[in-house]
Amino acid sequence: MYNGKYRHIRRRHNTIKELLFSGIIIVDYVKSKDNVSDSLTKGLSREGVERTSKGMGLRLRTSQHDGLGVDEKLFISLLGKWDRNERESYRSHTTGIFVEDERQFQRWNDHHLLQLRQDFLRLKDAVVVYTMHPWERDARLFNEALLKGSQHHILIETACTRSSQQLLGARHAYHSLFEHSVEEEIAFRIKTPERKLLVALVSSHRYEGPRVDNNLAKAEAMVFVNAIKNADKMKQLVEEEEIVRILSTRSKLRLKAIYDHYKEITGNFLDEDLDGDLTLKQVVQCLCAPQAYFSNILISSLRLDVEESAKDSVTRIIVTKADDEDMKLIKEEFQSKYGTPLAAKLKEVANGSYRDFLLTIISKSD
């Protein structure tokens, strides 16, 4: 007897029996707990999703901001082999990534689409920044920080951790690229009390020799002691002319001596007593203890729940410090402070060629 149902039974069962009997295919029984593809076809518990994802070599996403970069080889090995039905199944069972409208049309969630594009661009951006002339790179960092408005820390990092010659080169590059000076751009775009200090820092040309006058360093440490003790609520510390003068003109060795004398006088570290003024705190850390500052930024950025701007800090710090002695100090500080090597943390969080590129860069200082 023939009917529509029998036709489907014949196709689904009899054909498979014939293929099995002829030895064309072999069907192995796989227990559900061992079937790593279950998460693509059915709803599983969190434990099940974690287990199957690990079995496929996937990292479980805990948020839309999870991980840095893309594991390109894994994408190719999995997605490249999927046929139309498997891609349809993937869209149907990943409702957080794909959304279905009233017309039953499955489309990308715009936020996830943007996130994926940003992850694919991460390697490109790292390579572009790494191969730039350092002067152009720093000039573009200045410009990007100013255009985005709220990234004073990038201005501070760049101005305070470069040599006088490097900073002068970045200012020349800024002239060529943007046809005006970085100083006038800061003065025009920043209207807050930090403006005077930031202009002074980017235009600084510090003495870089070995000589330090400890008596003067101690006297200038007292300038900070008195300024913090007598801080006027009507005038912020960052506006104090003597503070701006010392931070923007003294050599880094002199500033480190001031930092040490402040600790001897007060029993506290200077940056700790500046908790109420983030700009001054960042300036002091970048000038006096850059490896500690950068280690702190890296550990904060190498998490699975950080925002996109924080992730960008990983590329910026590793790529811009690649050729400096600072990278070795940053790695030593990172391991001492957080109990794990920077390379191990990168392997844990970053993905694919982006991860491999950063690991190659930091290995140069081994």
Side-chain angles (χ1 to χ4, degrees):
M1 178 177 178
Y2 175 83
N3 58 40
K5 291 183 179 179
Y6 178 81
R7 175 171 58 84
H8 290 298
I9 293 174
R10 179 179 62 80
R11 289 181 62 191
R12 292 181 182 179
H13 300 284
N14 292 348
T15 303
I16 292 176
K17 284 182 179 179
E18 292 174 6
L19 293 173
L20 283 169
F21 182 77
S22 63
I24 295 175
I25 65 171
I26 298 175
V27 177
D28 290 328
Y29 172 71
V30 178
K31 294 181 179 179
S32 183
K33 69 181 182 66
D34 298 323
N35 188 353
V36 296
S37 66
D38 263 5
S39 59
L40 300 177
T41 59
K42 63 182 71 170
L44 298 178
S45 65
R46 180 180 179 84
E47 181 183 354
V49 172
E50 291 176 349
R51 173 177 51 78
T52 55
S53 297
K54 185 177 180 181
M56 290 189 287
L58 299 172
R59 178 179 287 121
L60 180 66
R61 294 183 67 90
T62 58
S63 76
Q64 65 269 32
H65 303 296
D66 199 11
L68 297 174
V70 174
D71 192 332
E72 299 89 348
K73 291 181 180 179
L74 186 59
F75 261 67
I76 292 169
S77 65
L78 289 176
L79 300 184
K81 295 176 182 178
W82 286 357
D83 60 25
R84 180 184 300 175
N85 293 330
E86 288 170 317
R87 294 196 298 273
E88 166 66 26
S89 176
Y90 173 69
R91 287 193 296 271
S92 299
H93 290 87
T94 51
T95 54
I97 298 177
F98 291 92
V99 294
E100 189 173 287
D101 62 16
E102 66 277 4
R103 301 179 184 85
Q104 295 186 324
F105 169 66
Q106 295 167 327
R107 63 176 180 82
W108 273 94
N109 177 306
D110 289 339
H111 185 83
H112 284 287
L113 181 60
L114 176 62
Q115 177 69 26
L116 188 60
R117 283 175 173 166
Q118 288 171 330
D119 280 342
F120 273 112
L121 286 172
R122 232 172 263 289
L123 173 64
K124 185 210 75 171
D125 290 343
V127 171
V128 169
V129 174
Y130 185 68
T131 53
M132 271 186 194
H133 191 288
W135 296 356
E136 178 186 1
R137 177 200 65 205
D138 288 346
R140 292 190 182 279
L141 283 174
F142 280 145
N143 185 252
E144 182 180 354
L146 287 166
L147 291 179
K148 290 185 176 179
S150 60
Q151 298 194 340
H152 294 177
H153 63 286
I154 296 179
L155 297 173
I156 293 168
E157 287 175 17
T158 309
C160 294
T161 62
R162 306 299 190 258
S163 69
S164 295
Q165 194 63 33
Q166 289 170 334
L167 194 52
L168 179 62
R171 296 204 301 273
H172 284 316
Y174 203 97
H175 292 173
S176 298
L177 291 168
F178 308 110
E179 299 186 338
H180 50 262
S181 72
V182 64
E183 294 94 332
E184 66 178 294
E185 187 81 348
I186 291 173
F188 172 73
R189 291 187 177 275
I190 297 177
K191 307 300 183 184
T192 53
E194 295 85 1
R195 175 169 60 179
K196 182 184 291 187
L197 175 60
L198 293 174
V199 169
L201 289 172
V202 300
S203 57
S204 175
H205 197 88
R206 304 175 190 276
Y207 166 68
E208 295 178 341
R211 183 178 176 182
V212 175
D213 187 320
N214 274 304
N215 290 327
L216 283 176
K218 190 169 185 178
E220 289 179 334
M222 283 302 302
V223 171
F224 280 93
V225 172
N226 293 327
I228 293 172
K229 182 179 179 181
N230 303 315
D232 187 345
K233 293 183 179 179
M234 300 298 293
K235 186 177 182 181
Q236 296 184 31
L237 277 174
V238 75
E239 298 178 272
E240 292 286 347
E241 289 189 8
E242 281 295 277
I243 298 293
V244 172
R245 177 186 64 81
I246 292 169
L247 291 176
S248 61
T249 63
R250 294 310 189 196
S251 72
K252 292 178 182 177
L253 288 178
R254 168 80 75 86
L255 289 167
K256 289 177 182 177
I258 292 170
Y259 188 85
D260 292 340
H261 283 304
Y262 185 93
K263 178 69 164 63
E264 292 172 2
I265 295 167
T266 66
N268 300 325
F269 290 107
L270 176 55
D271 50 331
E272 292 176 351
D273 283 349
L274 291 171
D275 276 338
D277 193 315
L278 181 60
T279 296
L280 278 180
K281 181 173 183 173
Q282 290 173 337
V283 170
V284 168
Q285 289 178 335
C286 286
L287 288 169
C288 301
Q291 63 272 18
Y293 171 84
F294 286 123
S295 294
N296 183 56
I297 298 295
L298 284 170
I299 196 66
S300 299
S301 303
L302 288 169
R303 300 200 326 262
L304 301 180
D305 58 348
V306 296
E307 296 183 356
E308 205 61 37
S309 59
K311 290 181 179 181
D312 293 339
S313 299
V314 177
T315 301
R316 185 180 71 255
I317 292 172
I318 291 179
V319 171
T320 61
K321 308 308 289 182
D323 299 316
D324 295 348
E325 177 66 21
D326 284 350
M327 178 52 71
K328 183 176 181 180
L329 298 175
I330 290 169
K331 292 196 300 184
E332 291 173 355
E333 176 74 15
F334 190 95
Q335 179 154 4
S336 172
K337 193 170 184 179
Y338 304 111
T340 186
L342 177 57
K345 192 64 179 178
L346 279 170
K347 289 177 183 178
E348 177 186 331
V349 176
N351 300 312
S353 299
Y354 173 73
R355 173 199 61 213
D356 297 340
F357 184 58
L358 295 187
L359 288 173
T360 301
I361 290 175
I362 67 172
S363 69
K364 295 195 318 181
S365 60
D366 288 343

